[in-house]
């Protein structure tokens, strides 16, 4: 799948940014799309030239044991949570809609089950599978949360990276419970592929762990209606789990 983005959006894998501020009126549902070596033909009257485009290469990260221990994971988890308010995400829905209230309850309950599974290091695939697809929208809130969780936990060299296969197995089992685009996004995130605004925050955590840049948080919060915030909740919980898994200042009895 390839996503067409406006020029104001940040780079992302499998995406093509168009030098057009508004293109809603250019494309029509049902138009045939044809891919060639030099561009993309849309319908009978549109051509997107790609032969001279620059490809965005997403940076890759890795952690040594010493580097992992030098990151103040607990502090990062707390700081990320502090930047998420009650109206930012369906995880903390407090309105009058009974459907949303029940969904928020289920999200919180299954979120705790998943965190407990990762802490106890058992039944992880089952907990992930039960979490997939819970919520509304193009990418349900639970999936966005899992994206954020995987972004941190599956950095090369992370102690919990070994559970990547459990997450992928859960997605294989329960992927049809969510939307196609959300399934694709989850698989990409589990393989450490995500958009540029998120890479800036990950870089901040890894290379400048004691320098908390709020702009990186703000940029991610702008993703979708609540997707970015739900991703940040996943990243915050992943930072806390990192602390519990051996990060610096860890309480040796916490595991």
């Amino acid at each position: 799948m390839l996503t067409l983005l406006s020029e104001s959006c940040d780079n992302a894998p499998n995406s093509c940014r168009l030098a057009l501020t508004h293109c809603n009126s250019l494309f029509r549902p049902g138009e045939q799309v044809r891919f060639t070596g030099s561009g993309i033909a849309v319908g009978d009257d549109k051509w997107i030239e790609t032969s001279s485009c620059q490809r965005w290469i997403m940076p890759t990260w890795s952690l040594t044991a010493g580097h992992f221990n030098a990151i103040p994971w607990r502090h990062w988890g707390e700081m990320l949570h502090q930047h998420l308010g009650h109206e930012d995400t369906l995880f903390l829905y407090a309105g009058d809609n009974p459907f949303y209230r029940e969904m928020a309850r289920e999200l919180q309950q299954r979120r705790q089950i998943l965190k407990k599974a990762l802490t106890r290091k058992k039944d992880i695939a089952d907990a992930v599978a039960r979490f997939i697809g819970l919520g509304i929208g193009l990418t349900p809130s639970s999936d966005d949360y899992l994206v954020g969780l995987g972004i941190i936990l599956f950095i090369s060299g992370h102690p919990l990276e070994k559970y990547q296969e459990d997450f992928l197995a859960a997605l294989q089992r329960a992927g049809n419970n969510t939307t196609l685009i959300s399934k694709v996004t989850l698989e990409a995130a589990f393989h450490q592929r995500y958009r540029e605004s998120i890479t800036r925050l990950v870089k901040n955590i890894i290379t400048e762990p004691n320098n908390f840049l709020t702009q990186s948080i703000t940029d991610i919060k702008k993703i979708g209606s609540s997707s970015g915030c739900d991703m940040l909740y996943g990243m915050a919980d992943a930072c806390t789990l990192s602390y519990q898994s051996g990060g610096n200042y860890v309480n040796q009895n916490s595991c």
Side-chain angles (χ1 to χ4, degrees):
M1 296 180 69
L2 181 70
T3 301
L4 299 182
L5 305 172
S6 69
E7 58 188 330
S8 61
C9 294
D10 55 327
N11 292 309
N14 295 356
S15 296
C16 177
R17 292 174 62 193
L18 305 180
L20 297 170
T21 302
H22 301 288
C23 29
N24 290 342
S25 60
L26 294 179
F27 302 103
R28 296 178 291 275
E31 287 187 303
Q32 185 178 9
V33 179
R34 300 180 301 281
F35 293 86
T36 73
S38 59
I40 307 169
V42 183
D44 299 321
D45 57 352
K46 290 174 285 293
W47 171 256
I48 302 172
E49 178 70 35
T50 61
S51 59
S52 60
C53 291
Q54 292 183 340
R55 183 179 180 184
W56 178 64
I57 306 298
M58 191 187 138
T60 56
W61 317 104
S62 62
L63 294 168
T64 63
H67 197 174
F68 175 83
N69 290 330
I71 297 173
W73 293 107
R74 183 179 186 179
H75 176 69
W76 272 98
E78 292 172 348
M79 291 297 291
L80 289 173
H81 276 298
Q82 288 176 15
H83 281 75
L84 294 165
H86 286 278
E87 297 180 356
D88 287 335
T89 169
L90 288 173
F91 276 115
L92 298 176
Y93 179 79
D96 297 326
N97 187 308
F99 174 74
Y100 283 1
R101 286 203 305 270
E102 178 62 19
M103 181 179 64
R105 188 191 68 80
E106 282 290 325
L107 283 166
Q108 289 293 352
Q109 184 180 65
R110 297 187 195 187
R111 173 188 176 196
Q112 295 304 321
I113 291 172
L114 175 56
K115 288 165 62 178
K116 186 176 295 185
L118 285 164
T119 300
R120 294 179 175 177
K121 302 177 174 60
K122 59 184 298 186
D123 302 323
I124 293 171
D126 287 339
V128 174
R130 292 187 67 241
F131 203 56
I132 291 174
L134 186 59
I136 61 174
L138 197 57
T139 56
S141 296
S142 62
D143 296 352
D144 293 325
Y145 173 88
L146 288 173
V147 166
L149 205 64
I151 285 169
I152 298 296
L153 298 186
F154 303 145
I155 297 173
S156 178
H158 193 288
L160 298 183
E161 180 192 10
K162 58 188 175 182
Y163 298 117
Q164 180 187 42
E165 291 303 318
D166 291 275
F167 277 65
L168 289 169
L171 182 60
Q172 180 69 26
R173 185 199 317 174
N176 290 336
N177 293 340
T178 190
T179 63
L180 177 57
I181 190 169
S182 192
K183 181 180 179 181
V184 170
T185 303
L186 281 167
E187 184 173 14
F190 293 166
H191 283 105
Q192 290 290 281
R193 300 178 70 244
Y194 39 84
R195 57 200 295 168
E196 188 176 20
S197 57
I198 297 175
T199 68
R200 288 194 289 270
L201 178 56
V202 175
K203 179 183 178 181
N204 187 182
I205 294 173
I206 293 176
T207 65
E208 300 179 86
N210 296 303
N211 181 23
F212 193 88
L213 302 178
T214 57
Q215 186 58 50
S216 299
I217 308 299
T218 301
D219 291 342
I220 296 175
K221 290 178 73 171
K222 294 177 182 178
I223 299 174
S225 57
S226 66
S227 291
C229 293
D230 290 331
M231 289 178 193
L232 286 171
Y233 263 91
M235 295 178 76
D237 282 355
C239 287
T240 301
L241 287 165
S242 300
Y243 164 75
Q244 296 170 347
S245 299
N248 65 343
Y249 310 119
V250 67
N251 179 344
Q252 296 300 320
N253 296 319
S254 63
C255 293

